[in-house]
Amino acid sequence: MPDFLRKATKQTAKVCHADEQPAAALFVRPRSGDETKRLGAPASAMSRRKSDNAVGDDDATTADALFEQNAVLVLTDRRLLVFGHGSLLGRVRELIGALDLHDVLEMDLDVPPAGSQQPATLHMTFADGSSVAVTPGSRRKQFIAAYEAATQRA
């Protein structure tokens, strides 16, 4: 079970403010086939940083950035950071975007019953009314707990 918070240390150090602390990290992958739901995106709330390896173009939305590739979500005490994920070596890549925590209204985790073939689903709802659904990695409960703790302090 990879520790993506440890793996993201180098990348988060580049983008976090001096007094901002990463609290949890979670690998997510796009929903596949009929499971994919694109219900809009908080593009106005999302700040994007373009680099040579950045995914998409200037018109890409947050949902597009999350759904086009595997990603690593890093939760800090202030923001939700979205990093690319290198599938070959499992490295945390460039910053795709960052949302202030007050722009993330809700995170819900749907875990199917034991023995089900369906994967868990992480639903995120944003301040502009849009939402996304992704398939989370194995540390999903810890990530949700860190989100709840961070949003209660805010």
Side-chain angles (χ1 to χ4, degrees):
M1 187 176 332
D3 181 359
F4 282 100
L5 188 56
R6 184 183 54 76
K7 285 182 146 193
T9 301
K10 184 176 177 181
Q11 295 295 347
T12 57
K14 294 177 187 177
V15 298
C16 285
H17 304 288
D19 59 344
E20 185 176 22
Q21 296 298 315
L26 180 67
F27 170 79
V28 297
R29 67 176 193 261
R31 302 290 301 199
S32 61
D34 293 336
E35 299 170 342
T36 302
K37 304 259 188 228
R38 292 187 189 202
L39 302 174
S44 61
M46 190 70 162
S47 62
R48 293 177 47 101
R49 188 182 120 205
K50 299 294 283 178
S51 71
D52 293 340
N53 297 326
V55 174
D57 56 29
D58 292 335
D59 295 329
T61 65
T62 303
D64 289 335
L66 286 174
F67 282 107
E68 287 179 0
Q69 66 177 13
N70 294 341
V72 175
L73 305 179
V74 175
L75 184 71
T76 74
D77 53 345
R78 293 186 204 167
R79 299 183 292 168
L80 177 65
L81 307 173
V82 182
F83 292 94
H85 178 264
S87 296
L88 185 60
L89 297 175
R91 290 191 177 134
V92 177
R93 297 239 181 231
E94 75 283 344
L95 179 69
I96 294 171
L99 280 168
D100 290 332
L101 277 184
H102 69 270
D103 290 325
V104 182
L105 297 181
E106 192 172 38
M107 280 193 196
D108 290 320
L109 183 62
D110 290 337
V111 180
S116 172
Q117 297 297 320
Q118 296 294 320
T121 302
L122 176 64
H123 299 275
M124 293 177 277
T125 305
F126 304 101
D128 67 355
S130 64
S131 63
V132 295
V134 292
T135 301
S138 59
R139 295 186 184 217
R140 53 191 173 253
K141 290 180 182 176
Q142 294 93 333
F143 190 81
I144 293 295
Y147 168 76
E148 289 171 353
T151 54
Q152 288 176 357
R153 284 192 298 264

